[in-house]
Amino acid sequence: MVDISKRRFFKRNAVDETIVRLPWIARPSIFTNQCTRCNKCLDACETQIITIQDGGFPTVDFSLDECTFCYQCAAVCPEPIFNLESELPWEATVSINQQCLAFKNVECRSCSEMCETSAIRFQIEIGKVAQPIIDTNECTGCGGCVSVCPTSAIIVTNTRAVNQLTP
């Protein structure tokens, strides 16, 4: 008889391409093949948002703070994983789900107050509190809005991967 609880060992390890791992990663699709999990990036991160998740690989956790794009994680990495600092750090943006207080007609603008690029604005609507609007062209994906959201309604995703997954 076959122990079906061990079937997972025969599956390919699927990498979630929508995860925002670290800024300036040159090829996110093969990041898990190149990263040796040395954890030097954790110590180098000035806002301490890099955590270990998902198979022991470093990932940013925006519930802790935002990315300041200091490039320290890339600078200390001994592997050829990162692009140059002069390049775009990542193709990430935020989305706001239905947990948003404004969608429930409760006044809250904490996300827009933290957004340095003013990518999150609030538009006045008749009969409702002002509703959030995201300008994806202005959003850097820094995650500064995530930790201040009282309902955890804001998610940062890798937009390049999301666009590739969408038919």
Side-chain angles (χ1 to χ4, degrees):
M1 181 168 211
V2 175
D3 182 358
I4 60 172
S5 68
K6 294 187 172 57
R7 283 186 299 179
R8 63 185 165 87
F9 292 117
F10 296 104
K11 282 181 155 180
R12 284 186 61 161
N13 289 338
V15 177
D16 186 351
E17 297 282 333
T18 61
I19 293 175
V20 179
R21 292 232 180 244
L22 300 174
W24 288 284
I25 291 178
R27 296 174 56 198
S29 61
I30 62 167
F31 170 75
T32 55
N33 293 336
Q34 294 178 322
C35 176
T36 61
R37 299 178 256 187
C38 69
N39 300 334
K40 290 181 180 181
C41 55
L42 273 77
D43 297 328
C45 180
E46 70 180 26
T47 56
Q48 299 298 294
I49 63 169
I50 300 175
T51 62
I52 299 299
Q53 297 175 0
D54 200 15
F57 293 99
T59 306
V60 292
D61 183 350
F62 295 115
S63 69
L64 301 172
D65 207 342
E66 67 184 288
C67 181
T68 59
F69 305 111
C70 67
Y71 200 72
Q72 295 307 308
C73 57
V76 300
C77 184
E79 303 303 321
I81 295 174
F82 295 92
N83 286 326
L84 298 174
E85 187 176 10
S86 59
E87 294 186 36
L88 186 68
W90 51 35
E91 291 184 37
T93 192
V94 299
S95 60
I96 302 174
N97 66 34
Q98 292 302 309
Q99 294 299 111
C100 176
L101 291 175
F103 295 157
K104 297 175 188 240
N105 213 27
V106 176
E107 183 67 34
C108 177
R109 297 185 188 198
S110 58
C111 57
S112 68
E113 292 168 2
M114 291 303 294
C115 186
E116 290 183 25
T117 63
S118 298
I120 303 175
R121 294 185 305 272
F122 280 77
Q123 181 174 339
I124 296 173
E125 291 193 18
I126 297 172
K128 297 181 183 178
V129 299
Q131 299 294 297
I133 297 175
I134 301 168
D135 183 346
T136 55
N137 292 323
E138 292 297 319
C139 181
T140 63
C142 72
C145 54
V146 174
S147 65
V148 298
C149 179
T151 61
S152 302
I154 303 175
I155 300 164
V156 180
T157 55
N158 180 345
T159 55
R160 176 180 19 182
V162 170
N163 290 337
Q164 288 173 353
L165 296 173
T166 305

